[in-house]
Amino acid sequence: MSQKAVVIGAGIAGLLAAAAMSRAVPEAEIVLLDRDVLPSGPANRRGVPQGQHAHLLMAGGSMAMESLFREDVRKRLFEAGAHEISLANGMLAYSPDAGWFRRYRRNGSRMITCTRGLLDWVVRETLLQQTTRLSIHQAVVEGLLGDAQRVRGVRISGADATLGSEVEADLVIDASGRGSRNIEWLTAIGVSAVQQRKIDSGLTNATRIYRTPPGAESFPLTMIQANPYSGRPGRSAMVLPIEGNRWMVSAGGTRGGEPPNDTQGFLDYIAGLPHPLVSQLISGAEPLTDVAVSRSTSNVRRYFEKSPVWPERFLVLGDALATFNPAYGQGMSVAALGAHDLFRELVRSDVSTPGLSRRVLLSAARHVDTAWSTAVAMDVLYPDVRGEKATIADRLAAGYARRLTRAATGSFNAATALWDVTSLKAPASRLLSPAALFATLNGPLLPRTNEPPLQPSERQILQRIMRGSEEPHGSR
Ligand SMILES: Cc1cc2nc3c(=O)[nH]c(=O)nc-3n(C[C@H](O)[C@H](O)[C@H](O)COP(=O)(O)OP(=O)(O)OC[C@H]3O[C@@H](n4cnc5c(N)ncnc54)[C@H](O)[C@@H]3O)c2cc1C
């Protein structure tokens, strides 16, 4: 039977949903619709404004992504300049509450860092090579065709003449991101009362790109984390290696502690963080851009999987399903894992099998649960958080996370449990495994350290950067 899928949105969720479809049902026709004309190379675009900011692809997401392609998509990313970072030894992370995390020789989870533009472009190119049955069109989806029993396609505007104003399909996947109008679309076909939760810490991100100082190409990813336990707004910053020998430097502050968008204000903000390492690193780096600011960072969850009525042949994935405070770097991984759930269901059954959409939504909700609990347990603690108040369960989770984080600074067992869950390689229950529980209750095996765990060669690089910043050309 010929099958046709319409995917709304060519962001990472839409691309990976299309990859899942093409891998599981190679003969299916896939129509990918996006309001933007997609760039012909790695570039930012209007429809994905968050692409100007740091995007880490966690291990759980990168493994799910890998399974959707015949080609080695990660290898392609690395060939294009992306970096692979080991959480165990490729990262310097400081928690104001717990000190610096130790580094370990052993390997742990690995994440991928590059610009969002590069990631989307490489994934899109790999997808286009995987299938000749995919067509990409510029169009704005305005609504759904069908009724509460079954969705039969989409209504569109602004499309070329080949598409007209309606596109019929055997399966419709909404991957139109944080701004999706899916609740409105569903209400219009008779599916109402979808529950929603929103928790907004008011996080603002400010990002600037720098040229990596010569010789510092292998310097670890560096992050000063926010402190949710202080009763004051969270403030953080990160230096992230990206393609083209560049550093992406992102600062983030919750409501009342937002970073400014002017260059001097940005530098002052970073200099005022509880540890000077990020400020020291950028003091000797050449800025390549202005400061870009983004404020769409709330946690929003739509409980479609709990809706008493759900139309067959309609699915929601990625940010259209749930969004998370980006400080935890989980949104793209949740999107990839949801696409993998779709792949698995399509291999087992068929687009026309009753209940397929509901099953995929139920599986995807499990990944959302993990990311949601990580983000919300911390976010509810910040001052002036909007949306729901912290529940007793949230406070208990936050208390446990605090102890675990302290233990993780000096215990490999605690650290791997934390990384496995934040990388979405394991569900949140992994934090309660006997080894993690034991390590958490015992606390760190080593005392708190306020000195970054730099190797001698890295210390030399830092000194060279700081010496360079004292020379006239380095003052910026
Ligand atoms: C500042 C910031 C930093 C982040 N950092 C990270 C990180 O480090 N790691 C991580 O995993 N996640 C991060 N995220 C989250 C990540 O950006 C999202 O989870 C991810 O983009 C979700 O992908 P998506 O495809 O669902 O949505 P998007 O990437 O937003 O794509 C949606 C697409 O749909 C299109 N579209 C929208 N409406 C329509 C319509 N009606 N018709 C047709 N097309 C439409 C848009 O043009 C766009 O192309 C961050 C988010 C922010 C805001």
Side-chain angles (χ1 to χ4, degrees):
M1 188 180 80
S2 81
Q3 293 175 354
K4 180 172 168 185
V6 162
V7 181
I8 312 169
I12 196 72
L15 294 170
L16 295 179
M21 188 79 199
S22 73
R23 186 98 209 252
V25 193
E27 68 283 5
E29 180 190 349
I30 305 163
V31 178
L32 183 54
L33 305 173
D34 201 286
R35 56 166 78 246
D36 278 355
V37 176
L38 303 181
S40 56
N44 285 326
R45 63 188 173 87
R46 236 181 113 112
V48 186
Q50 71 273 32
Q52 299 177 91
H53 301 281
H55 269 72
L56 315 163
L57 181 61
M58 295 294 181
S62 102
M63 282 155 51
M65 175 179 80
E66 190 72 14
S67 70
L68 303 175
F69 291 97
R70 283 192 300 276
E71 292 290 319
D72 187 342
V73 63
R74 294 186 337 152
K75 184 163 162 246
R76 287 173 169 220
L77 278 165
F78 299 138
E79 283 167 359
H83 298 252
E84 188 174 37
I85 312 270
S86 157
L87 299 190
N89 51 42
M91 185 171 83
L92 296 165
Y94 177 73
S95 153
D97 185 58
W100 286 94
F101 287 72
R102 295 318 194 283
R103 290 160 76 189
Y104 302 92
R105 280 181 198 283
R106 287 175 273 184
N107 270 329
S109 290
R110 288 170 173 272
M111 59 187 167
I112 296 177
T113 67
C114 59
T115 57
R116 178 64 196 271
L118 183 76
L119 178 70
D120 283 19
W121 178 65
V122 169
V123 169
R124 196 164 74 239
E125 289 296 299
T126 313
L127 172 63
L128 285 166
Q129 282 169 15
Q130 173 150 299
T131 175
T132 53
R133 306 275 298 146
L134 170 76
S135 60
I136 303 180
H137 302 262
Q138 185 187 13
V140 180
V141 172
E142 305 284 1
L144 301 173
L145 302 175
D147 52 36
Q149 276 67 52
R150 183 184 156 178
V151 165
R152 295 178 186 278
V154 291
R155 281 190 298 106
I156 57 174
S157 66
D160 55 45
T162 55
L163 285 186
S165 60
E166 293 187 348
V167 186
E168 299 207 338
D170 302 294
L171 179 66
V172 173
I173 302 165
D174 176 23
S176 61
R178 182 178 275 273
S180 174
R181 286 164 50 210
N182 51 33
I183 300 250
E184 200 182 303
W185 297 341
L186 283 161
T187 307
I189 60 164
V191 181
S192 52
V194 173
Q195 293 170 44
Q196 266 198 94
R197 274 186 88 189
K198 182 170 179 178
I199 292 160
D200 181 9
S201 69
L203 178 79
T204 294
N205 281 101
T207 299
R208 196 178 192 196
I209 296 179
Y210 289 79
R211 192 183 307 290
T212 308
E217 292 78 10
S218 59
F219 198 88
L221 184 155
T222 301
M223 77 171 64
I224 310 295
Q225 299 176 348
N227 185 357
Y229 312 106
S230 67
R232 291 192 296 276
R235 292 165 184 259
S236 62
M238 167 160 62
V239 178
L240 181 88
I242 56 170
E243 72 275 11
N245 277 337
R246 292 175 299 162
W247 279 345
M248 188 176 255
V249 179
S250 255
T254 64
R255 192 169 286 109
E258 298 90 341
N261 62 0
D262 64 290
T263 53
Q264 190 54 50
F266 178 78
L267 294 175
D268 292 346
Y269 185 90
I270 290 176
L273 291 174
H275 196 281
L277 185 56
V278 170
S279 184
Q280 290 166 344
L281 284 171
I282 59 173
S283 67
E286 179 195 351
L288 300 174
T289 65
D290 287 338
V291 180
V293 168
S294 168
R295 293 186 178 83
S296 297
T297 56
S298 52
N299 303 283
V300 179
R301 184 164 185 183
R302 296 163 179 164
Y303 291 87
F304 297 119
E305 74 284 4
K306 292 190 177 162
S307 173
V309 180
W310 188 257
E312 297 286 349
R313 319 285 186 104
F314 182 58
L315 263 183
V316 184
L317 292 175
D319 276 16
L321 175 61
T323 62
F324 315 94
N325 174 336
Y328 310 100
Q330 307 188 102
M332 298 193 300
S333 291
V334 171
L337 287 156
H340 181 79
D341 292 331
L342 169 63
F343 170 70
R344 211 187 41 226
E345 282 301 325
L346 287 171
V347 167
R348 275 192 207 148
S349 55
D350 190 76
V351 162
S352 59
T353 310
L356 176 121
S357 310
R358 174 83 81 176
R359 280 195 297 282
V360 177
L361 283 172
L362 279 167
S363 315
R366 292 199 198 109
H367 314 303
V368 173
D369 280 341
T370 303
W372 184 263
S373 58
T374 307
V376 166
M378 299 292 128
D379 278 9
V380 289
L381 303 179
Y382 289 113
D384 203 9
V385 63
R386 307 229 166 121
E388 287 176 34
K389 297 276 167 266
T391 61
I392 292 174
D394 290 334
R395 291 205 179 272
L396 283 174
Y400 186 77
R402 184 178 198 180
R403 282 194 77 151
L404 176 69
T405 306
R406 284 182 175 163
T409 58
S411 150
F412 185 73
N413 277 343
T416 34
L418 190 63
W419 296 327
D420 284 354
V421 175
T422 49
S423 298
L424 290 147
K425 270 170 69 178
S429 56
R430 163 86 171 85
L431 299 179
L432 297 172
S433 68
L437 196 58
F438 186 72
T440 304
L441 295 178
N442 266 353
L445 302 174
L446 299 163
R448 175 184 172 123
T449 170
N450 290 318
E451 276 304 305
L454 291 167
Q455 287 162 10
S457 60
E458 294 163 354
R459 206 166 285 284
Q460 282 172 7
I461 293 170
L462 179 62
Q463 281 162 359
R464 220 171 32 242
I465 291 173
M466 288 168 63
R467 269 201 309 275
S469 73
E470 285 158 16
E471 292 162 12
H473 71 272
S475 56
R476 41 184 67 94

